[in-house]
């Protein structure tokens, strides 16, 4: 058997993609700031930074230091998901393929050659006690770095102290029990703005209203203090970087679409929500909460400071119809599944179901038409003669071990 391994170019990322992406950074950051965000969360993609052992790449779009500095220059914070295992619907969850050839490696458990993690809880039980030992080791290892920064573990209800357990999901206000200790903040690390798009499946739409409702409810019900929209901007996975089941566009339905353009009304509605929350933030943080019953599915969450500050959130969790409620002698109309924000306990500044943001649509105009046969190029791949090949095997070889993930294709001849 002979196996000329081929690289048809699929393994090479177009250089131009990197240039476009890095020049997009300043405007993406500016739009996030304009949209009312305080922090930008990003992953660290190990397999981009160390494609071969000891061979590092922090240039162009891999220049994470430059990215973080640009975020800082615009006055925002960074929340960094270092992985190394990041999942992210990315090839091997960010793990470099060459790890596969590290002697004795077992992925994602208490194995010395492999000690790194993200979103571990759904894997932990498969490894029994080794899973928990490993989880405890990751927490200790991180804390021992003495960075002076808080550490968190996504979707890890039993994150060991002082590491903060956080929620990823669409409705963390309903599905999550909150921090596992009273001195940890409530953090929603992935509040899905829509959903990633696997090949052949329907587009998942999530309305601006639903997103605003659950974000606000998370703050009220779980004392939420950090909400990360996943994604606020997803972008494009060029070349062979996405995981095998993924299309190249990532979260095109996010407030900033695949191309970095604002998607309205989602972007504007969240911007209005952020402005409303900002008006309430002092009292939300330092005031005392009382919950008043306004009806079967209606509650007022009232936060009061000791100098007369008062903010109120009127919640209608009923899904049937809009309803009239009386709060402090004033009547308010609450649409179904909505929250009104009253930064002074009197005036409605924002309601999660009432969208004032403009609506936009995207239109496409073809720039290049591939309608002329002269514009097509045909590439004939040279098929080597058996005698000219070097790789030989007398057993059936495994594709990944043979191509080392430089290509999705492999020619072989058998006789
Ligand atoms: C892991 O850490 C937790 C909390 O720190 C502790 O209760 C538990 O016994 C540890 N588990 C193992 C297997 O070491
Ligand atoms: C939220 O804060 C209030 C007041 O401090 C407290 O009573 C409540 O238990 C907290 N809820 C959660 C889920 O942490
Ligand atoms: C909150 O309530 C506590 C206990 O009643 C009180 O000591 C504190 O001053 C109150 N805080 C504010 C901001 O009103
Ligand atoms: C709101 O209603 C849903 C069911 O429609 C329920 O699952 C959820 O717990 C309710 N939330 C609150 C804060 O009551
Ligand atoms: C509401 O009205 C009642 C009766 O008129 C009055 O006693 C009360 O002080 C009013 N409450 C507020 C918050 O204005
Ligand atoms: C943790 C959580 O809230 N997960 C939910 C995410 O959203 C999907 C539906 O889109 C639900 O099925 C999950 O329960």
């Amino acid at each position: 058997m002979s196996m000329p391994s081929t690289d048809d170019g699929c393994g090479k990322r177009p250089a131009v993609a990197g240039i476009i992406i890095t020049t997009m950074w300043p405007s993406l950051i500016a739009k996030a700031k304009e949209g009312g965000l305080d922090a930008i969360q990003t992953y660290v993609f190990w397999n981009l930074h160390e494609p071969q052992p000891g061979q590092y790449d922090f240039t162009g779009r891999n220049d994470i230091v430059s990215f973080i500095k640009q975020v800082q220059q615009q006055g925002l914070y960074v929340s960094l998901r270092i992985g190394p295992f990041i999942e992210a619907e990315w090839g091997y969850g960010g793990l470099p393929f060459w790890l596969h050839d590290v002697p004795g490696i077992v992925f994602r458990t208490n194995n010395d050659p492999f000690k790194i993690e993200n979103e571990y809880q759904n894997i932990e039980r498969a490894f029994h006690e080794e899973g928990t030992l490993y989880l405890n080791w990751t927490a200790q290892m991180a804390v021992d770095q003495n960075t002076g920064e808080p550490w968190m573990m996504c979707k890890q209800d039993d994150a060991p102290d002082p590491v903060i357990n956080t929620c990823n999901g669409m409705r963390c206000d309903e599905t999550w029990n909150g921090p596992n200790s009273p001195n940890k903040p409530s953090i929603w690390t992935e509040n899905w703005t829509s959903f990633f798009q696997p090949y052949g499946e329907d587009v998942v739409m999530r309305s601006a209203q639903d997103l605003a409702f659950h974000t606000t409810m998370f703050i009220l019900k779980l004392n939420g203090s950090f909400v990360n929209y996943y994604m606020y901007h997803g972008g494009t996975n060029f070349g062979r970087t996405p995981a095998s089941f993924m299309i190249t566009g990532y979260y095109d339905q996010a407030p900033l679409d695949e191309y970095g353009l604002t998607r309205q009304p989602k972007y504007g509605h969240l911007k209005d929500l952020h402005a409303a929350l900002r008006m309430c933030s002092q009292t939300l943080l330092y005031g005392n909460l009382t919950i008043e019953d306004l009806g079967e599915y209606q509650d007022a969450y009232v936060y009061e400071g000791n100098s007369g500050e008062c903010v109120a959130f009127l919640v209608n969790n009923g899904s049937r119809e809009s309803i009239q409620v009386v709060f402090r002698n004033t009547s308010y109309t609450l649409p179904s599944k909505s929250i009104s924000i009253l930064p002074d306990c009197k005036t409605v500044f924002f309601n999660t179901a009432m969208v004032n943001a403009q609506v936009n649509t995207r239109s496409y105009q073809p720039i290049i038409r591939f309608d002329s046969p002269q514009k097509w190029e045909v590439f004939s791949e040279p098929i080597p003669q058996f005698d000219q090949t070097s790789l030989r095997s007398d057993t059936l070889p495994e594709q990944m071990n043979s191509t080392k993930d430089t290509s999705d294709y492999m020619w072989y001849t058998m006789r």
Side-chain angles (χ1 to χ4, degrees), residues 197-230:
Q197 171 98 52
Y199 271 112
E201 293 188 8
D202 289 341
V203 179
V204 174
M205 306 294 257
R206 189 175 186 196
S207 72
Q209 295 91 319
D210 186 53
L211 189 52
F213 179 86
H214 287 284
T215 298
T216 310
M217 209 57 229
F218 178 73
I219 291 169
L220 301 179
K221 210 177 131 194
L222 291 164
N223 305 327
S225 57
F226 179 112
V227 174
N228 181 58
Y229 296 111
Y230 195 94

Side-chain angles (χ1 to χ4, degrees), residues 82 139 141-153 162-165:
I82 59 169
M141 185 272 295
V143 171
D144 285 349
Q145 303 304 311
N146 288 315
T147 59
E149 304 292 335
W151 290 91
M152 59 200 186
M153 286 185 182
V163 175
I164 303 160
N165 59 306

Side-chain angles (χ1 to χ4, degrees), residues 342-353:
L342 288 57
D344 58 357
C345 281
K346 287 195 192 84
T347 325
V348 177
F349 184 80
F350 178 85
N351 178 282
T352 57

Side-chain angles (χ1 to χ4, degrees), residues 14 26 29 38 106 131 141-142 157 161 192-193 195 256 312 330 348 402-403:
I29 298 164
D38 304 303
V106 182
M141 185 272 295
D157 293 338
D161 294 342
W192 301 329
T193 53
F195 206 62
L256 299 178
T330 305
V348 177
S402 311
T403 62

